[in-house]
């Protein structure tokens, strides 16, 4: 039986490579090589920028590719949060909450997108009434900034566990370079979590609205 050519689209091959590099990163962490873990994880994250470019360059955008990209992102974030929960057991509930919010908000958004008959979850800027959500899905630069800040916050937490940098004193508080960078990224991280909450709320309301109209 012939293989569906969609599976061999260039952006989808990049997606498979991302999965592989994320898996290698997690294996490296389990084997005690944190440097290789963060290296492979960061490389896989950077590749996310190129699958979209490849889809546009080769005219190979596909629903399968969009789903693959979404699953790769959610799986990677969940896996890395589990690693951080292992490193920072006192914040276990925080990381559990972050995983649950990330997965549930994107699932609801995808579900609402399908019910509305839209081609992509990024088209949600057309139906949401929330200004932040419209900005997030309507402005790629803003979206990329929040996604980068979100991942960078987790990566810095990983570095903070294994490395110590030069110390700074701010109002009698001693902070090393990683902690200072974490404080800098924290507002962007919190803003990204806010978009997840609003995304979940907007999608849930839209689904319930469709249910209500169907009942009528």
């Amino acid at each position: 039986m012939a293989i569906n050519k969609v599976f061999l689209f260039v952006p989808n091959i990049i997606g498979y490579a991302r999965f592989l590099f994320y898996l290698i990163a997690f294996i490296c962490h389990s084997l005690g090589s944190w440097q290789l873990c963060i290296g492979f994880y960061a490389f896989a994250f950077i590749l996310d920028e190129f699958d979209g470019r490849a889809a546009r360059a080769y005219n190979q955008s596909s629903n399968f590719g969009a789903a693959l990209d979404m699953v790769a992102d959610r799986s990677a974030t969940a896996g890395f949060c589990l690693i951080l929960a292992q490193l920072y057991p006192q914040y276990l509930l925080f990381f559990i909450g972050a995983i649950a919010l990330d997965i549930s908000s994107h699932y609801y958004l995808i579900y609402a997108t399908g019910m509305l008959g839209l081609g992509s979850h990024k088209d949600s800027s057309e139906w949401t009434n929330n200004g932040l959500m419209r900005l997030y899905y309507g402005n790629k630069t803003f979206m990329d900034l929040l996604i980068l800040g979100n991942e960078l916050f987790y990566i810095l937490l990983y570095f903070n566990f294994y490395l110590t940098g030069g110390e700074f004193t701010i109002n009698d508080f001693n902070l090393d370079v990683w902690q200072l960078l974490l404080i800098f990224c924290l507002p962007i991280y919190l803003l990204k979590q806010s978009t997840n909450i609003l995304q979940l709320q907007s999608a849930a309301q839209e689904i319930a609205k469709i249910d209500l109209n169907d009942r009528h």
Side-chain angles (χ1 to χ4, degrees), residues 159-160 162-166 176-178:
F159 275 127
N160 182 66
Y162 289 104
L163 295 176
T164 55
D176 67 24
V177 63
W178 305 113

Side-chain angles (χ1 to χ4, degrees), residues 132-152:
L132 181 58
M133 288 300 300
R134 284 182 176 275
L135 177 62
Y136 181 72
Y137 280 109
N139 188 311
K140 188 178 185 304
T141 301
F142 183 70
M143 176 191 285
D144 289 344
L145 174 64
L146 264 59
I147 292 174
L148 178 61
N150 185 76
E151 289 297 319
L152 190 57

